[in-house]
Amino acid sequence: MERKSLISITDFSTEEIVRILEIANEFENNPQPHLLDGKVVATLFFEPSTRTRLSFESAINRMGGRVIGFSDPNISSVSKGETLKDTIRIVSNYCDLIVMRHPLEGSSRYASEVATVPVINAGDGANQHPTQTLLDMYSIKKTQGRLDNINIFMVGDLKYGRTVHSLVQAMSPFNPTFNFISHPKLRMPQEYLDFLDEKKVKYYEHEQFTNIISEADIIYMTRVQRERFQDLMEYEKTKDLYILHNAMLENTKPTMKILHPLPRVNEISQDVDPNPKAYYFEQALNGVFARQAVISYVLGLKK
Ligand code: CP
């Protein structure tokens, strides 16, 4: 059986990403309740999560697999001082696949090097969140009918937001235009701008977006992530700079959709929720199909 981990979205080729989106669509139209019969998946969450952990567990259960793991490292032997290396080696003995979220950048790559089963990165610090990217791309394809030539506005915390880091890399082969809207302290990190320069992808940086919002195909809102700030004064200064209200959507394209990886705090006003352009709750549902596709692909059950 093939063994393949997913740590960074760049671990998969563009062809593989497109194939995984097709598989996700197959799962949406035709659930396969016995595909994971006899398989055990460990979900190790060293950081809080609602959507990622529960949509992974829902995906596994819907395919007939079993789940072991923890959502709070304090109830594991990590709290007694056990290393990540020993934890991963031991858990590898008990499962066919590990899904891991951890606050440290690079921890999932390290886990994949010591594990004897595939590892899926469910978010490592401010670095990458590749399965979020797959569900984001699935949502873009589903709502826009294509991945090519999409004008994507990314708004908020582009520095610590791991979902936007993975998404700019994965969308780059599809001739996107990116508009990055953030406070200068929360700009898209230089390494991702360098990546886009190298791939000759168009991007623009702004501090305001109300004057250009009518150009957007996708508005991707993000939460300013309090837990990543060393200086809480900086968090206080930046947390409420970008709040999307329903009245701001009047002159946007009829086909425009608002995405957000969630959880949200203040950045999307609740008056946006009934607007058909708000897609973030459906986006979270798409996470089940995208994660069914990734699991079956890394286990070699789907090609
Ligand atoms: N989008 C996302 O990663 O949400 P959770 O933190 O709830 O898993």
Side-chain angles (χ1 to χ4, degrees), residues 125-151:
N127 186 31
Q128 286 266 324
H129 195 349
T131 62
Q132 177 73 42
T133 291
L134 292 166
L135 78 90
D136 292 343
M137 292 176 80
Y138 188 64
S139 300
I140 292 170
K141 180 103 195 292
K142 211 164 141 180
T143 61
Q144 306 299 309
R146 66 189 200 283
L147 288 172
D148 296 295
N149 307 315
I150 303 285
N151 192 342

Side-chain angles (χ1 to χ4, degrees), residues 155 209-210 221 238-246 248 265-272:
V155 185
F209 72 117
T210 42
M221 297 298 294
T238 53
K239 69 179 173 141
D240 287 330
L241 287 178
Y242 303 104
I243 300 179
L244 195 63
H245 293 280
N246 195 44
M248 295 163 66
V265 184
N266 287 329
E267 59 279 0
I268 301 179
S269 164
Q270 299 210 5
D271 71 1
V272 176

Side-chain angles (χ1 to χ4, degrees), residues 10 34 48 52 84 123 176 188 208 216 226 275 285 299:
T10 54
H34 298 294
T52 309
L84 180 62
M188 182 63 72
Q208 297 299 329
R226 187 179 191 280
N275 191 316
L285 168 62
L299 288 176

Side-chain angles (χ1 to χ4, degrees), residues 45 47-55 101 122-123 129 132 135-136 162-163 220 223 227 260-263 283 291:
F45 277 68
E47 235 189 15
S49 168
T50 297
R51 277 146 293 276
T52 309
R53 184 173 68 82
L54 294 179
S55 64
R101 169 172 288 188
H129 195 349
Q132 177 73 42
L135 78 90
D136 292 343
R162 56 195 173 196
T163 70
Y220 194 101
R223 174 177 68 94
E227 65 273 28
H260 190 314
L262 304 177
Q283 179 189 357
R291 289 177 172 125

Side-chain angles (χ1 to χ4, degrees), residues 52-64:
T52 309
R53 184 173 68 82
L54 294 179
S55 64
F56 261 114
E57 295 188 359
S58 176
I60 296 158
N61 278 292
R62 283 166 198 271
M63 293 189 288

